[in-house]
Amino acid sequence: TVNGEGSGSCFFTEDLRGKVIRGARIKAILLEAAFTENDDTLYLEYQPLLDLKTNKIAGLEALARLRDEKLGVISPAEFIPLAEEMQLILPLGQKIIRLAFGLMNRLEKSGYGDVQVNVNISGIQLIQEDFTDGLIRMAQKSEVNLKNLVLEITESVLSDNYEAVNERLGRIKTFGVRVAIDDFGTGYSSLARARELNADYLKIDKCFVDNLLTLSSDETIVGDIISMAHRMGHCVVAEGVEDERQYQYLKEHGCDYIQGYYFSRALAPEKVMELIKGVNSLTVAKIREVSRKR
Ligand code: C2E
Ligand code: MG
Ligand code: MG
Ligand code: MG
């Protein structure tokens, strides 16, 4: 911190200096990516959602990445907060939706119109006056069916602008778009809120899945969340499933979908199309093998 006397720089540690420089570089990359039309600095990978009842890929979650010559691939966990801070999340978010619609269009044209695509949306995007109209316009332009789109929103969005968000989501849903509450269980939302929002999916946060089978109390919590969510009409997705035992537990407790490295990491669009095309005849073990070779 820089407080009072002396020049600020003597209070900067090397560590902080490095962090500031990296942050500034990422911000510059974001700025460039936001306003350059055909630029592949920002791109999407897609992580499959496995339907535990049918063993088929029910959907794909679009996950944003940023590539840079010097810094390599930058995680959204790092750059999305910076993009939000700079308000660049609006143009970048539009780009993300357009890219995801591109894949949706390919899926629909290839006869996989039943595969849903999940897109993560920031609160800042959602509270824009013209968000819904923009979404509809883009869907028409990309020739995609909005019934195949799922918007993922995190709980923090709900805590800040609950009324506005609730109203916005209500209107969006009339166009067939579905809504998932992401990272469920980590923040402010509750089953009561999920019901008010009429959320289609609850995505149980990875931290609960991590502790599954090591902490016996969490084991019960996940089972309880699944059955309560079902009673209230929501589908349940478990995120961050990494091993066989978690997979078995979730299957036994009636979880609807899983996502995680156990099954598949996020894949490039080409790889995901390949996977989807071959998948109907594949076993879970085979899918795991295919998605690993990426
Ligand atoms: P999220 O939406 O909860 O996405 C799940 C994250 O967990 C992803 O990280 C995914 O790669 C990772 N993951 C999935 N399965 C496993 C697993 O088995 N083990 C482990 N260790 N991790 C797993 P990622 O891609 O780094 O994304 C981080 C977060 O950044 C996302 O969390 C989401 O909140 C945000 N994000 C990503 N893409 C976008 C986007 O396009 N827009 C917005 N607003 N946020 C995004
Ligand atoms: Mg998500
Ligand atoms: Mg999530
Ligand atoms: Mg999460």
Side-chain angles (χ1 to χ4, degrees), residues 47 61 64-65 76 96 120 122 182-183 206 239-240 242 260-261:
Q47 186 177 39
E61 179 176 3
R65 277 94 182 81
I96 288 166
N120 293 283
S122 285
D182 210 348
D183 303 342
K206 182 179 186 307
E239 54 177 38
E242 291 182 350
Y261 296 169

Side-chain angles (χ1 to χ4, degrees), residues 42-45 47 61-65 74-81 84 89 92-93 96-97 118-123 125 152 154 182-183 203 205-206 209-210 238-243 246 259-266:
L42 177 83
Y43 64 100
L44 300 181
E45 289 187 333
Q47 186 177 39
E61 179 176 3
L63 293 162
R65 277 94 182 81
I74 304 158
S75 150
E78 186 173 12
F79 74 75
I80 293 286
E84 288 176 342
I89 194 65
L92 290 172
I96 288 166
I97 293 169
N118 291 27
V119 179
N120 293 283
I121 298 293
S122 285
Q125 290 174 270
E152 296 198 1
T154 59
D182 210 348
D183 303 342
K203 299 191 76 173
D205 193 69
K206 182 179 186 307
V209 177
D210 282 343
E239 54 177 38
V241 178
E242 291 182 350
D243 75 17
Q246 294 168 325
Q259 246 180 296
Y261 296 169
Y262 170 69
F263 176 57
S264 172
R265 288 178 180 253

